[in-house]
Amino acid sequence: MSQKKVSIKDIAQQAGVSTALVSYVLNGKEKESRVGQEIALKIRQIARELNYQPSYLAKSLRSGKTQTIGLIIADISNPFFANIARIVEDEAKKIGYTVIIGSSDETADKSRDLIDVFLNRQVDGFIIVSAEASDEQIYYLKDKNVSFVLLDRHFPEIPTDFVSLNNYKAALDAGLHLLENGYKHIGLIAYKSGLFHMKERIRGYRKALEQHNVTFRPEWLIEVGFDTIEQEVKAGINAMLASDAPIDALIFATYRLAISGLKYINELGLKVPDDLAIVSFGQAEAFDLYYCPITYLQQPMDDLGKMAVSVLANKLKHPQEPQKQVLMEAQLIARDSSRRKVPKS
Amino acid sequence: MSQKKVSIKDIAQQAGVSTALVSYVLNGKEKESRVGQEIALKIRQIARELNYQPSYLAKSLRSGKTQTIGLIIADISNPFFANIARIVEDEAKKIGYTVIIGSSDETADKSRDLIDVFLNRQVDGFIIVSAEASDEQIYYLKDKNVSFVLLDRHFPEIPTDFVSLNNYKAALDAGLHLLENGYKHIGLIAYKSGLFHMKERIRGYRKALEQHNVTFRPEWLIEVGFDTIEQEVKAGINAMLASDAPIDALIFATYRLAISGLKYINELGLKVPDDLAIVSFGQAEAFDLYYCPITYLQQPMDDLGKMAVSVLANKLKHPQEPQKQVLMEAQLIARDSSRRKVPKS
């Protein structure tokens, strides 16, 4: 079914205003051009009635802009990323951008597909939570002079704009908090990953032990694969508990690992924190509703999302400005799951 | 920075194969054309090295297809929708579609913006979880002969393809389950919404009371606004408990309402289920980890997501086929939060 193409002229005619005015309104610039709200409303309504479809391609050729941001997150089913996507959207909308989202499901292949699809859909720029082994894509975007900001994860060896967490510091804080509360044998469950943020979490954890002169035991550190979380978390916790120096506290490097681990700890009938103290990265309702509220590293999600949008928006306006590399701090929210250790009598 | 446009011919030349073969591979059709995997790999690699960008517009003009689905969900920060988005993506990928996602944040305005943006980005079709008062958009899509499937929510007065839950039956089951387990004064916390699925949940709840000859009390039913969940849930629970016939069981019509309600129930020091039995719609880790695992209505997320993709894919191939309207059943997963009532001594 073909439709007669409606132009700005048609709308202007019907509204009895100039085409320039229609263009202002339909490009969301009525505030700057001081168009009356009533006129703006009328123009929009006529545009809607006439089924007006702006030609993004033509518009893009003229202005070079589509006012669209491509957001690629690592896993939409992870509440951390889903929440940050919502923040990015809200923030982008405030400054007139629409966000289209893709989820790479932690695979570099899918991430590359999405980057291609979004480039061909003429997004102005990208906000990307990188999947493992996707460095090549970052070089590709740099080569093509595409504007982008990395969010939450970055590649220290590739100079880019990024907004991330100081993961080393966060894990160090988690470890020190447990040590200062009297726990000595501290385990860490992390992902087996080449990604920098995960390595930094491990480095911070080990630094905490070192600062308190606790000798690290290899069985205290478990790195599990994405596809075998449940089995590996169980086996890991078993090994940590069967150690000559059984753990009395456990740090989870992500929310998903914590959920999996807490379910198993419940199964084992272990009491938190008396049998095992817990600190986790990530944040979620599950931590609040657990019988013993879980201590967690609160990531500044709002600030991370807003800053990523702001860095990208600025980059789109001023592509020649120096790169912005922002590291934010997590805040440890101490709750019952890591309260001061009571020596067993 | 302008780039010399790379064509399929350039790739074919460098790979020493025909342009047809390159086209097959880059359109993801190597399986059908029995191209060797090695050749396919080589072609993709050369395409990558040359920075080949398929012209989606040109391709679309030829084939009328972009192999892209626009998925509009009601709120990306709600785990139900985030998980269903993941399922839709996985399923779409299997049949060669890329999914681009937008979140309407439960507002009709944002949903309309996203539909426009996606139409202009030439998606082949839509899967839509509708926001309230977005009926007009559905008529608009129908007028334009755009292929779409409504997911999870539909408008009974508009004939469309849809894949939804039988919400009436699910709420009826929840009510009957509690009544059969000895609870009599059952409350429901729902959203104040014109959306059909919410009305159906209320209707099912009331039907359950009616079937057991329990007289409904107005204070047992609370409908809260999206923007005032916390206050209204608290006030609602207070009113339900202060009733002449105080509730002994409570149904939450959504996951978010349950989280808010359970936090307040904890604050009040009420014990689940002895002081108050609970059944909730939605599903989430928080329900598993709660001290008393929460009985919930398990929605067939996998089937909902897969069916939506399958209905849309079929519609894209055979636009003239009759509409498909699928209602799926939720399964009540009975756990401790609604176990048989022990009369207080």
Side-chain angles (χ1 to χ4, degrees):
Chain A
M1 223 178 70
S2 76
Q3 300 241 338
K4 194 177 137 278
K5 186 94 186 140
V6 175
S7 74
I8 284 191
K9 226 173 172 173
D10 300 325
I11 302 168
Q13 222 150 36
Q14 194 159 330
V17 300
S18 71
T19 52
L21 198 58
V22 173
S23 165
Y24 265 121
V25 169
L26 296 182
N27 286 299
K29 290 186 178 150
E30 65 259 42
K31 264 169 213 132
E32 293 126 55
S33 62
R34 285 177 292 180
V35 180
Q37 234 193 331
E38 232 168 291
I39 292 284
L41 216 68
K42 187 177 168 192
I43 289 172
R44 276 183 215 282
Q45 197 177 346
I46 291 171
R48 201 109 51 83
E49 282 165 13
L50 295 177
N51 270 345
Y52 170 70
Q53 288 297 313
S55 166
Y56 276 71
L57 192 68
K59 203 169 136 184
S60 157
L61 287 171
R62 279 197 308 274
S63 73
K65 296 283 162 65
T66 60
Q67 294 298 112
T68 314
I69 293 173
L71 170 65
I72 297 178
I73 55 181
D75 180 3
I76 196 172
S77 69
N78 179 328
F80 177 73
F81 296 126
N83 279 305
I84 229 168
R86 170 83 192 242
I87 293 159
V88 165
E89 276 191 323
D90 286 348
E91 193 62 17
K93 191 173 169 66
K94 280 187 209 155
I95 56 169
Y97 284 91
T98 302
V99 176
I100 59 183
I101 307 169
S103 171
S104 70
D105 301 344
E106 301 282 7
T107 62
D109 267 9
K110 208 163 168 189
S111 165
R112 201 194 48 237
D113 286 353
L114 284 166
I115 286 176
D116 283 345
V117 166
F118 284 6
L119 277 177
N120 283 296
R121 294 296 185 287
Q122 301 154 305
V123 298
D124 289 342
F126 285 90
I127 296 176
I128 301 174
V129 181
S130 295
E132 195 176 358
S134 64
D135 344 12
E136 190 202 323
Q137 296 161 31
I138 305 304
Y139 285 118
Y140 171 77
L141 290 173
K142 279 173 69 96
D143 281 355
K144 293 187 70 106
N145 262 6
V146 173
S147 296
F148 68 94
V149 176
L150 301 186
L151 175 58
D152 185 56
R153 305 172 177 179
H154 68 280
F155 299 93
E157 69 283 10
I158 316 179
T160 64
D161 294 75
F162 68 77
V163 180
S164 298
L165 193 75
N166 186 338
N167 286 288
Y168 166 74
K169 173 77 164 43
L172 175 63
D173 286 350
L176 292 178
H177 166 73
L178 287 165
L179 289 156
E180 283 155 12
N181 272 353
Y183 302 93
K184 279 221 151 9
H185 298 169
I186 300 170
L188 172 69
I189 300 188
Y191 280 124
K192 190 181 292 144
S193 166
L195 284 168
F196 183 65
H197 75 292
M198 201 48 70
K199 290 182 182 162
E200 284 289 273
R201 290 180 188 182
I202 294 172
R203 189 167 71 91
Y205 152 76
R206 296 199 54 166
K207 185 71 185 174
L209 294 180
E210 192 190 309
Q211 282 190 11
H212 277 247
N213 299 313
V214 174
T215 309
F216 168 73
R217 304 275 193 131
E219 69 270 22
W220 290 354
L221 171 62
I222 308 290
E223 294 172 80
V224 310
F226 273 125
D227 299 324
T228 47
I229 294 178
E230 209 171 320
Q231 308 93 290
E232 290 196 67
V233 164
K234 283 186 182 182
I237 290 177
N238 288 341
M240 288 171 169
L241 293 169
S243 162
D244 289 344
I247 55 164
D248 55 4
L250 182 53
I251 300 171
F252 292 106
T254 75
Y255 161 74
R256 187 145 291 171
L257 293 170
I259 294 299
S260 183
L262 288 172
K263 279 184 187 166
Y264 187 55
I265 287 165
N266 283 355
E267 258 179 70
L268 292 175
L270 295 175
K271 272 296 181 203
V272 175
D274 299 334
D275 299 325
L276 196 58
I278 302 287
V279 176
S280 183
F281 275 80
Q283 62 212 77
E285 284 97 357
F287 291 170
D288 300 339
L289 287 177
Y290 196 62
Y291 67 88
C292 168
I294 301 294
T295 298
Y296 65 96
L297 292 152
Q298 186 176 52
Q299 304 188 47
M301 275 206 283
D302 242 58
D303 294 342
L304 285 166
K306 285 180 180 172
M307 182 61 84
V309 173
S310 140
V311 170
L312 180 61
N314 190 58
K315 197 169 184 67
L316 291 171
K317 276 197 202 121
H318 312 288
Q320 301 309 329
E321 272 190 19
Q323 284 172 350
K324 287 217 177 54
Q325 308 185 323
V326 184
L327 273 191
M328 293 186 167
E329 302 275 307
Q331 196 189 346
L332 187 128
I333 307 293
R335 304 200 289 180
D336 271 1
S337 74
S338 61
R339 64 169 176 252
R340 177 156 286 284
K341 183 169 185 170
V342 182
K344 291 197 179 176
S345 49
Chain B
M1 226 179 70
S2 75
Q3 299 240 339
K4 194 178 136 281
K5 185 96 184 141
V6 174
S7 74
I8 285 191
K9 223 171 171 179
D10 300 325
I11 300 169
Q13 220 152 36
Q14 195 159 327
V17 300
S18 71
T19 52
L21 198 59
V22 172
S23 167
Y24 266 121
V25 169
L26 296 183
N27 287 301
K29 290 185 179 152
E30 63 260 43
K31 266 169 212 133
E32 295 126 55
S33 62
R34 286 177 293 179
V35 179
Q37 233 194 334
E38 230 168 292
I39 293 284
L41 215 70
K42 188 178 168 191
I43 288 171
R44 276 183 214 283
Q45 196 176 348
I46 290 171
R48 201 112 47 84
E49 283 167 11
L50 295 177
N51 271 346
Y52 171 70
Q53 288 297 312
S55 167
Y56 276 71
L57 192 67
K59 203 168 137 187
S60 157
L61 287 172
R62 277 198 308 274
S63 73
K65 296 283 162 66
T66 60
Q67 295 297 113
T68 314
I69 293 172
L71 169 66
I72 297 179
I73 54 181
D75 180 3
I76 195 172
S77 69
N78 179 327
F80 176 73
F81 297 125
N83 280 305
I84 230 167
R86 171 81 191 244
I87 292 159
V88 166
E89 277 192 321
D90 286 349
E91 193 62 16
K93 192 175 168 64
K94 279 186 208 155
I95 54 169
Y97 283 91
T98 302
V99 176
I100 60 183
I101 306 167
S103 170
S104 71
D105 301 345
E106 301 281 6
T107 62
D109 268 9
K110 209 164 165 187
S111 166
R112 202 193 48 239
D113 286 354
L114 284 166
I115 286 176
D116 283 345
V117 166
F118 285 5
L119 277 177
N120 283 295
R121 295 297 185 288
Q122 300 155 306
V123 297
D124 289 341
F126 285 89
I127 296 175
I128 301 175
V129 180
S130 295
E132 196 176 358
S134 63
D135 346 13
E136 189 204 322
Q137 297 160 31
I138 305 305
Y139 286 117
Y140 172 77
L141 290 174
K142 278 172 72 94
D143 281 354
K144 293 187 71 106
N145 261 6
V146 173
S147 297
F148 67 94
V149 177
L150 300 187
L151 175 58
D152 184 56
R153 304 172 178 180
H154 68 280
F155 299 93
E157 69 282 11
I158 316 178
T160 64
D161 295 76
F162 68 76
V163 180
S164 297
L165 194 74
N166 186 337
N167 286 289
Y168 167 74
K169 172 76 165 43
L172 175 64
D173 286 349
L176 292 178
H177 165 75
L178 287 165
L179 288 156
E180 282 155 12
N181 272 352
Y183 302 93
K184 278 222 153 5
H185 298 171
I186 300 171
L188 172 69
I189 300 189
Y191 280 124
K192 190 181 291 141
S193 167
L195 284 168
F196 182 65
H197 74 292
M198 200 49 68
K199 290 181 182 164
E200 283 290 275
R201 291 180 188 182
I202 294 171
R203 189 166 72 90
Y205 151 77
R206 294 198 57 165
K207 185 72 185 171
L209 294 180
E210 192 190 310
Q211 284 192 9
H212 278 246
N213 299 313
V214 175
T215 310
F216 169 73
R217 304 276 194 129
E219 69 269 24
W220 290 354
L221 171 62
I222 308 291
E223 295 173 78
V224 310
F226 273 125
D227 299 324
T228 46
I229 294 177
E230 209 171 323
Q231 308 92 287
E232 290 196 67
V233 164
K234 284 186 183 184
I237 291 176
N238 288 341
M240 288 171 169
L241 293 169
S243 163
D244 288 344
I247 56 165
D248 55 5
L250 183 52
I251 301 171
F252 292 105
T254 75
Y255 161 75
R256 188 146 293 171
L257 293 170
I259 294 298
S260 184
L262 288 172
K263 279 184 188 168
Y264 186 55
I265 287 165
N266 283 355
E267 257 178 72
L268 292 175
L270 294 175
K271 272 295 177 205
V272 175
D274 298 334
D275 298 325
L276 196 58
I278 302 287
V279 175
S280 184
F281 275 79
Q283 63 212 78
E285 284 96 358
F287 291 170
D288 300 337
L289 287 177
Y290 196 61
Y291 67 87
C292 168
I294 301 293
T295 297
Y296 64 97
L297 292 151
Q298 186 176 52
Q299 304 188 47
M301 276 206 284
D302 242 58
D303 294 342
L304 285 166
K306 285 180 180 173
M307 181 60 85
V309 172
S310 140
V311 171
L312 180 61
N314 190 59
K315 198 169 184 64
L316 291 171
K317 275 194 203 123
H318 313 288
Q320 301 311 330
E321 273 190 17
Q323 285 174 351
K324 287 217 177 54
Q325 307 185 322
V326 184
L327 272 192
M328 294 186 167
E329 301 276 305
Q331 195 189 348
L332 187 128
I333 306 293
R335 305 200 289 181
D336 272 0
S337 74
S338 61
R339 64 168 175 252
R340 178 157 284 284
K341 186 170 183 169
V342 182
K344 290 195 181 179
S345 52

